[in-house]
């Protein structure tokens, strides 16, 4: 049985690694196809000699069986909205391919070979974001994939939208000739939502690492106490994610001469004599509670990864073909509730992450809160220049949009298909909205990390040298894409450049 992880998705979707079939993979698929061919000759099998959905009550004549599969693909190619970009589309193909390689779907080996050819030749199917209700599978989106495999519609090659027939001819690839139940097999599964979810999680885990870095750097530049992320404080809270985040923060600030030990305050006899302390005894929550906020976010992503990897390695269509049991089982493995629920949870925690970053940004913008930097990190003339005042609006607005998008999709089933699909998952909608929240969160992060670098430039002489090596590394990386702001200049291009860098570059120190 083929087994893949998110690490494999990263290799095939991001790095475009060649997909090489195991020696016995096609033999297992062929065995399943041969069994189904023989088994269905004298039986009524859904999707082979019947119509689909509410039309399953109608038997299809033998001479029309091939047309049935093509009609299904063409009629359901009704998606709309933005097409998935290459990374997401490749992930969808890998998800569908690996589902078939479990050899429980009864598809022909031609389907496997065509999917592998698309992946290895860099042919990107045109799959639209809108169309799936997430039960009976991602029928609409996967129909567009099927449409491309049979040589119809449009694909992307080198980023250019081109007629599929022309691209296949150029690459000496014959259009897929569908057999038996290939059409139904292609579209009757959760691979679109799963492919999107897999990429979402890969990006989201990168984003968490940037949030740890930003939070640690903020602690440094304001000379915060170290006990909020100490081992001793976080060990008494029995949550794995919290303890991991605290450890990562400790690792990040290693070597910093700006982070203060609580012991300094304990031994400060001068401070002890005061009735009002000059410096804050405890930081604001957005600085002090980072492990407690990012911890559950990390735990949620870890569990979501487990669910997505389970779905990647599952057979998620209908019916299920089992040569070992000499039978075909009808049911609902195409139902996307597992992915839908996890993407709702991912969306919620990413919104919380963007809220934390926006509050940390606000702390830097407000001199009355941080007590160290000029208002809006303004390095110019106060009143005449505006510093980061304008970019804060963008971060706040984008965070507010995340909050508006965070309502559950999982609970919004709408019966359809003549009430045959009377309760559905809306899993792809959930994954697509999580994708939007993810994009927004990277935008907020881009602005925040730029502001932190601006704060570093505004440190007192000699203080930059007291930063941790990791903070210096991040500062150097961001300064390759966005410069210190003194005079008022448009910031959109700098934000976009930082966004592209932190999103598409695996986190590194």
């Amino acid at each position: 049985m083929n087994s893949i992880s998110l690490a494999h998705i990263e290799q095939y979707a991001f790095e475009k690694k060649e997909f090489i079939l195991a020696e016995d993979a096609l033999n297992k698929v062929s065995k399943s196809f041969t069994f189904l061919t023989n088994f269905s000759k004298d039986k009524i099998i859904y999707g082979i000699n019947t119509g689909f959905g509410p039309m399953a009550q109608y038997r299809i004549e033998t001479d029309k069986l091939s047309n049935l599969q093509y009609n299904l693909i063409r009629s359901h190619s009704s998606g709309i909205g933005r097409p998935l970009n290459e990374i997401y589309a490749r992930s969808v193909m890998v998800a569908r391919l690996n589902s078939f390689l479990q050899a429980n779907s009864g598809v022909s080996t031609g389907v496997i070979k065509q999917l592998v050819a698309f992946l290895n030749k860099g042919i990107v199917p045109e799959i639209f974001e809108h169309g799936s209700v997430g039960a009976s599978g991602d029928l609409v989106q996967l129909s567009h994939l099927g449409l491309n495999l049979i040589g119809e519609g449009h694909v992307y090659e080198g980023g250019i939208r081109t007629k599929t027939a022309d691209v296949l001819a150029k690459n000496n690839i014959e259009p897929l000739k569908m057999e038996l139940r290939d059409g139904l097999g292609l579209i009757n599964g959760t691979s679109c939502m799963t492919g999107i979810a897999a990429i979402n999680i890969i990006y989201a885990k990168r984003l968490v690492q940037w949030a740890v870095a930003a939070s640690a750097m903020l602690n440094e530049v304001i000379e915060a106490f170290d006990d909020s992320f100490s081992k001793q404080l976080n060990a008494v809270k029995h949550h794995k994610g919290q303890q991991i985040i605290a450890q990562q923060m400790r690792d990040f600030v290693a070597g910093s001469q700006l982070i203060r030990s609580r012991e300094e305050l304990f031994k400060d006899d001068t401070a002890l004599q005061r009735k009002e302390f000059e410096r804050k005894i405890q930081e604001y929550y957005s600085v002090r509670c980072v492990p407690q906020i990012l911890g559950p976010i990390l735990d949620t992503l870890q569990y979501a990864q487990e669910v997505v990897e389970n779905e990647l390695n599952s057979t998620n269509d209908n019916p299920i073909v089992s040569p070992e049991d000499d039978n075909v089982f009808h049911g609902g493995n195409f139902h996307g509730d597992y992915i839908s629920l996890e993407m709702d949870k991912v969306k919620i925690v990413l919104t919380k992450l963007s809220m934390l970053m926006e509050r940390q940004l606000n702390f830097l913008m407000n001199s009355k809160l941080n007590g160290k930097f000029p208002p809006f990190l303004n390095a110019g003339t106060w009143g005449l220049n505006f510093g980061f005042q304008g970019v804060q609006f963008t971060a706040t607005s984008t965070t507010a949009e995340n909050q508006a998008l965070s309502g559950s999709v999982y609970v919004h089933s709408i019966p359809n298909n003549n009430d045959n699909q009377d309760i559905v998952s809306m899993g792809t909608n959930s994954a697509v909205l999580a994708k939007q929240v993810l994009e927004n969160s990277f935008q907020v992060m881009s602005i925040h990390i730029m502001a932190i670098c601006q704060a570093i430039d505004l440190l007192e002489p000699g203080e930059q040298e007291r930063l941790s090596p990791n903070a210096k590394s991040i500062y150097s990386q961001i300064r390759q894409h966005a410069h210190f702001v003194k005079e008022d200049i448009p910031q959109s291009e700098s934000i976009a450049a930082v966004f592209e860098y932190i999103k598409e570059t695996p986190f590194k120190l």
Side-chain angles (χ1 to χ4, degrees):
M1 192 166 67
N2 251 44
S3 181
I4 63 174
S5 65
L6 287 196
H8 293 99
I9 293 291
E10 197 158 4
Q11 291 173 351
Y12 296 128
F14 288 84
E15 301 166 18
K16 302 180 185 178
K17 177 182 177 181
E18 182 181 7
F19 196 102
I20 300 174
L21 289 170
E23 289 185 11
D24 63 342
L26 286 178
N27 290 335
K28 291 179 180 178
V29 172
S30 179
K31 179 181 176 182
S32 177
F33 174 75
T34 300
F35 165 77
L36 183 60
T37 301
N38 295 328
F39 187 84
S40 62
K41 284 180 179 177
D42 57 354
K43 298 177 182 67
I44 300 297
I45 304 292
Y46 175 75
I48 294 179
N49 47 23
T50 74
F52 302 101
M55 298 292 190
Q57 302 306 112
Y58 297 92
R59 180 167 184 158
I60 309 300
E61 297 301 321
T62 303
D63 61 345
K64 299 291 192 304
L65 295 183
S66 178
N67 286 347
L68 176 67
Q69 301 301 314
Y70 284 92
N71 288 347
L72 178 66
I73 293 290
R74 290 166 181 153
S75 67
H76 283 64
S77 295
S78 56
I80 199 168
R82 293 177 298 184
L84 296 178
N85 69 23
E86 182 172 6
I87 289 172
Y88 279 94
R90 288 179 65 85
S91 180
V92 171
M93 285 195 289
V94 173
R96 200 77 204 113
L97 177 57
N98 200 63
S99 177
F100 290 148
L101 291 176
Q102 308 309 308
N104 298 315
S105 297
V107 298
S108 69
T109 57
V111 174
I112 306 298
K113 293 175 182 176
Q114 195 76 330
L115 282 166
V116 171
F118 268 53
L119 281 166
N120 292 344
K121 292 288 186 180
I123 303 171
V124 181
E126 186 172 62
I127 301 173
F128 297 97
E129 287 186 346
H130 292 165
S132 174
V133 298
S136 272
D138 296 315
L139 296 175
V140 170
Q141 280 93 342
L142 295 178
S143 286
H144 282 280
L145 171 60
L147 191 71
N148 292 160
L149 297 181
I150 64 174
E152 299 179 16
H154 292 81
V155 293
Y156 292 85
E157 189 178 42
I160 306 299
R161 185 175 188 261
T162 311
K163 288 184 177 180
T164 308
D166 294 342
V167 174
L168 295 191
K170 173 186 170 185
N171 287 278
N172 297 314
I173 299 173
E174 290 290 326
L176 171 66
K177 182 180 179 182
M178 290 195 294
E179 304 181 63
L180 204 60
R181 70 173 295 261
D182 284 350
L184 180 62
L186 275 165
I187 76 173
N188 205 199
T190 64
S191 298
C192 184
M193 68 178 78
T194 304
I196 296 171
I199 301 301
N200 284 348
I201 294 171
I202 290 169
Y203 278 133
K205 295 185 86 170
R206 290 182 187 178
L207 184 64
V208 169
Q209 293 307 298
W210 279 105
V212 171
S215 299
M217 291 171 76
L218 179 61
N219 272 267
E220 287 196 66
V221 298
I222 65 171
E223 300 178 79
F225 289 111
D226 63 356
D227 46 355
S228 71
F229 49 88
S230 66
K231 181 177 181 179
Q232 293 83 351
L233 180 129
N234 288 281
V236 301
K237 198 86 178 280
H238 295 180
H239 298 295
K240 186 176 181 180
Q242 176 178 336
Q243 294 176 7
I244 291 173
I245 295 295
Q247 178 67 60
Q248 289 178 345
M249 291 185 70
R250 294 195 296 274
D251 292 344
F252 190 98
V253 302
S256 173
Q257 298 174 45
L258 291 176
I259 294 290
R260 293 189 297 160
S261 167
R262 182 67 62 173
E263 296 298 322
E264 295 176 25
L265 183 63
F266 291 160
K267 296 175 181 178
D268 190 341
D269 291 333
T270 303
L272 191 60
Q273 306 306 316
R274 294 179 181 274
K275 289 189 176 181
E276 182 178 351
F277 303 114
E278 287 185 338
R279 304 193 63 170
K280 285 185 68 64
I281 302 303
Q282 296 189 113
E283 303 297 343
Y284 289 97
Y285 287 8
S286 62
V287 180
R288 196 196 336 158
C289 301
V290 172
Q292 293 82 1
I293 296 171
L294 292 183
I297 295 173
L298 181 60
D299 283 338
T300 299
L301 293 178
Q302 293 288 82
Y303 183 70
Q305 177 173 340
E306 180 182 331
V307 170
V308 169
E309 287 178 341
N310 282 341
E311 195 73 19
L312 281 169
N313 294 300
S314 298
T315 304
N316 48 57
D317 58 338
N318 176 57
I320 299 302
V321 177
S322 180
E324 295 79 10
D325 295 301
D326 192 33
N327 209 342
V328 172
F329 300 96
H330 294 70
N333 278 356
F334 48 60
H335 213 281
D337 267 26
Y338 273 106
I339 299 297
S340 182
L341 177 56
E342 292 313 307
M343 285 298 99
D344 268 9
K345 289 157 61 178
V346 166
K347 181 175 61 176
I348 290 169
V349 298
L350 291 180
T351 293
K352 190 61 176 281
L353 184 149
S354 70
M355 292 165 61
L356 175 64
M357 295 300 101
E358 191 275 336
R359 287 294 84 197
Q360 290 183 359
L361 173 66
N362 184 71
F363 176 79
L364 279 176
M365 296 295 103
N366 192 333
S367 59
K368 295 177 181 178
L369 296 182
N370 63 64
K372 183 169 184 175
F373 299 106
F376 304 109
L377 302 175
N378 189 346
T381 303
W382 295 8
L384 176 64
N385 298 114
F386 294 89
F388 270 53
Q389 181 175 328
V391 296
Q392 184 186 10
F393 292 135
T394 303
T396 302
S397 170
T398 306
T399 301
E401 181 174 292
N402 275 359
Q403 292 172 317
L405 292 172
S406 289
S408 175
V409 178
Y410 170 72
V411 299
H412 280 282
S413 173
I414 301 176
N416 66 103
N417 196 229
N418 277 7
D419 280 341
N420 171 54
Q421 299 183 19
D422 57 349
I423 185 165
V424 296
S425 77
M426 296 297 180
T428 301
N429 283 354
S430 184
V432 167
L433 285 177
K435 174 175 174 285
Q436 181 61 53
V437 169
L438 180 66
E439 294 278 312
N440 289 350
S441 299
F442 269 109
Q443 291 173 19
V444 175
M445 179 64 72
S446 302
I447 292 169
H448 184 37
I449 203 75
M450 287 169 61
I452 291 173
C453 291
Q454 179 82 358
I456 289 174
D457 284 319
L458 292 171
L459 289 173
E460 293 294 328
E463 283 193 318
Q464 283 193 23
E465 294 306 312
R466 299 173 64 198
L467 289 164
S468 67
N470 287 328
K472 291 175 183 176
S473 173
I474 295 294
Y475 172 85
S476 177
Q477 292 173 47
I478 299 303
R479 278 289 172 256
Q480 295 176 39
H481 305 281
H483 302 294
F484 174 63
V485 176
K486 184 173 183 180
E487 301 299 327
D488 292 322
I489 58 173
Q491 291 297 312
S492 293
E493 290 186 8
S494 293
I495 297 170
V498 172
F499 168 84
E500 187 70 19
Y501 177 74
I502 67 173
K503 183 169 183 280
E504 300 302 341
T505 306
F507 186 83
K508 61 182 180 181
L509 294 171

